[in-house]
């Protein structure tokens, strides 16, 4: 049985790899892609998600634009990391309306007894409606603004979220937006805190503690170059800028690909170990965006999260490359 999922993302280079993975994995049925402001402004993220779906031959997937700004603060993008175009300054031709008419969330009326406020972003309306109709899982790999808005608009949808996997936060690993904060939760800490406090199921937090171990190395990139596969060529192309950034910023050879691990872990949670614990997010002051993980139960609050602490990264890479390239994926990892 395929697992039906919504992917909420801010593509973004590693988001694009995660989308490619999710669209290739036989275990998943992606029922919709929702885009949130984060790495890049929302409309650019929508265009990049469309570019990835075109590459994957998946123009059947509805893509909806979400929140254009965080709940209560201005957007700070990560275009220094992902390029001004969000895909490593590759300026890949956009998907034209003729090629693939934009998906609009048309039920913005009383149609079917589902009424949304006209100012509700399409993605939020879609998430609310989809989760009103069936149990689904959500893999969130960007800031949590869309998710928080959907829960605020229709709190009861939380009961229909089978699993909620979020790439974000950090437990014992240092931050990437400040000494203590990770980008997705730092961009919209109010949304992150709201989701941790209001999601019925535990937030399965795929944070920097585990994603920093997922490195696309120069050797793997060379392996991809030799595959002669359009998907491999795309990965090589969009990660070049990202590799340069990682060398300069964190002295890493290669690049950390955070978001694909959220997909890989959703498919096979044996890849990671974690702790069931109460977590919240700081929303002000110097440590704004920091995930506060109450490992010792100091506040005696019910566990609302599974915070991942270890990952079998070679096993993840095999799983990732095999989903994308089948048996040829092994050649990339030799
Ligand atoms: O901190 C890493 C996360 O922030 C990743 O999801 C990356 O795409 C950005 O959204
Ligand atoms: Ca992301």
């Amino acid at each position: 049985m395929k697992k039906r999922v919504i992917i909420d993302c801010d593509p973004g280079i590693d988001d694009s790899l995660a989308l490619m993975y999710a669209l290739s994995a036989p275990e998943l049925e992606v029922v919709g892609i929702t885009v949130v402001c984060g790495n890049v402004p929302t409309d650019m993220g929508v265009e990049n998600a469309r570019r990835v779906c075109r590459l994957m031959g998946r123009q059947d997937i509805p893509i909806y634009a979400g929140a254009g700004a965080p709940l209560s603060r201005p957007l700070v993008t990560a275009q220094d990391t992902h390029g001004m175009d969000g895909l490593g300054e590759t300026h890949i031709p956009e998907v034209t309306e003729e090629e693939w008419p934009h998906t609009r969330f048309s039920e913005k009326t009383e149609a079917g007894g589902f009424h949304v406020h006209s100012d509700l972003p399409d993605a939020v309306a879609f998430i609310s409606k989809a989760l009103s109709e069936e149990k689904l899982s959500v893999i969130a790999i960007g800031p949590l603004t869309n998710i928080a808005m959907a829960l605020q608009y229709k709190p009861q949808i939380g009961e229909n979220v089978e699993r909620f996997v979020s790439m974000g936060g950090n437990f014992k690993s240092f931050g990437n937006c400040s000494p203590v904060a990770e980008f997705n939760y730092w961009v919209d800490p109010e949304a992150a805190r709201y989701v941790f406090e209001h999601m019925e199921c535990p937030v399965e937090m795929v944070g920097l503690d585990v994603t920093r171990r997922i490195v696309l190395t120069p050797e793997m990139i060379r392996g991809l170059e030799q595959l002669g596969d359009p998907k491999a060529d795309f990965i090589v192309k969009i990660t070049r800028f990202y590799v340069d950034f990682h060398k300069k910023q964190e002295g890493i050879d290669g690049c950390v690909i955070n978001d694909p691990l959220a997909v890989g872990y959703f498919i096979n949670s044996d890849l990671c170990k974690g702790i069931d614990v109460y977590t919240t997010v700081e929303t002000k002051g110097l440590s704004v965006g920091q995930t506060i993980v109450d490992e010792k139960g100091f506040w005696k609050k019910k566990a609302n999260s599974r915070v991942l602490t270890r990952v079998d990264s070679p096993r993840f890479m095999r799983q990732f490359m095999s989903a994308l390239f089948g048996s040829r994926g092994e050649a990339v990892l030799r």
Side-chain angles (χ1 to χ4, degrees), residues 15 31 33 43 53 56 67 74 93 96 109 122 159 170 172 176 213 228 293 299 305 315 323 333:
D15 298 72
V31 299
I33 294 171
D43 289 347
C53 287
M56 302 301 286
T96 61
T109 62
D122 275 5
E159 294 153 23
N170 48 306
K172 296 194 184 293
N176 60 9
R213 305 223 177 288
V293 180
W299 289 322
S305 62
R315 190 175 167 202
L333 303 175

Side-chain angles (χ1 to χ4, degrees), residues 9-12 14-15 39 82 141-143 167 183-184 259:
C9 56
D10 59 334
D14 57 335
D15 298 72
N39 286 324
H82 293 260
I141 52 178
M167 190 281 134
F183 180 79
N184 284 336
D259 293 338

Side-chain angles (χ1 to χ4, degrees), residues 282-320:
E282 181 54 86
T283 57
K284 58 189 179 306
L286 264 182
S287 57
V288 64
Q290 179 177 11
T291 27
I292 302 172
V293 180
D294 188 5
E295 182 188 13
K296 302 299 182 195
F298 189 89
W299 289 322
K300 296 187 179 27
K301 289 198 167 192
K302 179 173 173 288
N304 61 351
S305 62
R306 166 156 298 180
V307 171
L308 301 187
T309 54
R310 287 171 48 211
V311 57
D312 181 344
S313 44
R315 190 175 167 202
F316 163 77
M317 271 301 175
R318 289 195 299 277
Q319 189 179 300
F320 174 54

